[in-house]
Amino acid sequence: SAASTVTREKEDGTLDLILSTPITSRYYVWGKLRGLVSFAIPLLAIPVLSILLFVVSDLIRSFREPASSFQWIVFPEALIVLPGILIIVSAFAAITGMQMSLRCRTTVMAVILSVVIVNAICFGLGACGFSAVSSSQVGQGGLILGALSPFTLAGILIDPAEIAKSVFTPGISPADAASARLLLTFSTWVITGIYCAVVWGMYKSMVKNFDMTIRKQAT
């Protein structure tokens, strides 16, 4: 959807009508970005609600099991950190698609480039994250790399004993587990802020070069 926002309007001629109105490039780009993210939020709400059900189930189970043997199926901080990273990564994917849609002349090319770029970044970071959290040599520092990708982060939060074996080992002390979870939460918020800065920078760049790019393609 993001990769066709501008090219589709260029192909059917509606972009010329839009540019003849008082709407500025800033409102044009921001309106499309906000609409794309708003469209994705209901889709992102499904996994978050699923996690909520598991957390509630864990809370009920914690009253029935001894504290010494109780283990979270899903870390409750997932409800705090996962929605933010999912939304901002969706915004990153949307602004990337919009960038390609602005620079490319056809929708097909914009879609191909957008999919390749977003998949390369997300899966590349995900592969590095999975490798880091499963390595015993990296230790808790692997959680920082794991938080770079929403795929790795979701895996750590949902199934820490399997995804992050090197950190959340069966015999880990409560203090070490708490420090690892705190590090993961803090790292996720920092990385979410970095993604926000990247999206904001791409948005400002797109607004700044919007008119010039459209004029070059019109010649």
Side-chain angles (χ1 to χ4, degrees):
S1 298
S4 62
T5 52
V6 183
T7 53
R8 185 170 52 194
E9 292 178 349
K10 286 188 291 187
E11 291 172 351
D12 60 20
T14 55
L15 182 60
D16 295 332
L17 297 176
I18 294 175
L19 295 178
S20 64
T21 66
I23 296 178
T24 63
S25 59
R26 181 168 65 91
Y27 286 105
Y28 178 84
V29 175
W30 176 252
K32 288 187 175 296
L33 178 61
R34 183 179 60 183
L36 289 166
V37 176
S38 299
F39 177 77
I41 286 179
L43 304 177
L44 302 178
I46 296 175
V48 174
L49 290 176
S50 301
I51 291 174
L52 175 61
L53 294 178
F54 277 98
V55 172
V56 172
S57 175
D58 281 348
L59 288 175
I60 296 174
R61 189 167 54 87
S62 65
F63 293 105
R64 301 176 180 176
E65 296 183 5
S68 58
S69 62
F70 173 77
Q71 288 185 345
W72 292 95
I73 297 177
V74 178
F75 286 152
E77 55 265 26
L79 295 173
I80 302 175
V81 299
L82 201 57
I85 194 71
L86 289 178
I87 291 174
I88 195 59
V89 169
S90 297
F92 170 75
I95 197 67
T96 301
M98 291 172 61
Q99 285 272 12
M100 296 300 103
S101 185
L102 175 63
R103 298 178 181 275
C104 297
R105 294 181 181 271
T106 63
T107 300
V108 174
M109 183 58 65
V111 170
I112 292 174
L113 290 176
S114 300
V115 171
V116 169
I117 292 173
V118 172
N119 280 328
I121 293 175
C122 288
F123 284 102
L125 292 175
C128 294
F130 279 116
S131 177
V133 296
S134 60
S135 175
S136 59
Q137 298 178 350
V138 181
Q140 291 190 5
L143 298 176
I144 301 175
L145 296 176
L148 287 172
S149 170
F151 303 109
T152 313
L153 177 64
I156 296 172
L157 293 171
I158 294 173
D159 194 3
E162 179 64 26
I163 303 300
K165 294 179 180 179
S166 62
V167 180
F168 299 101
T169 57
I172 187 174
S173 65
D176 291 339
S179 65
R181 291 168 58 183
L182 182 62
L183 175 62
L184 180 63
T185 302
F186 179 76
S187 301
T188 303
W189 280 116
V190 171
I191 291 170
T192 301
I194 294 174
Y195 271 111
C196 288
V198 171
V199 171
W200 179 253
M202 294 176 68
Y203 162 74
K204 296 294 289 185
S205 174
M206 189 173 178
V207 170
K208 181 180 179 181
N209 301 320
F210 185 85
D211 293 334
M212 185 61 66
T213 304
I214 294 297
R215 289 175 183 175
K216 286 182 179 180
Q217 293 180 354
T219 58

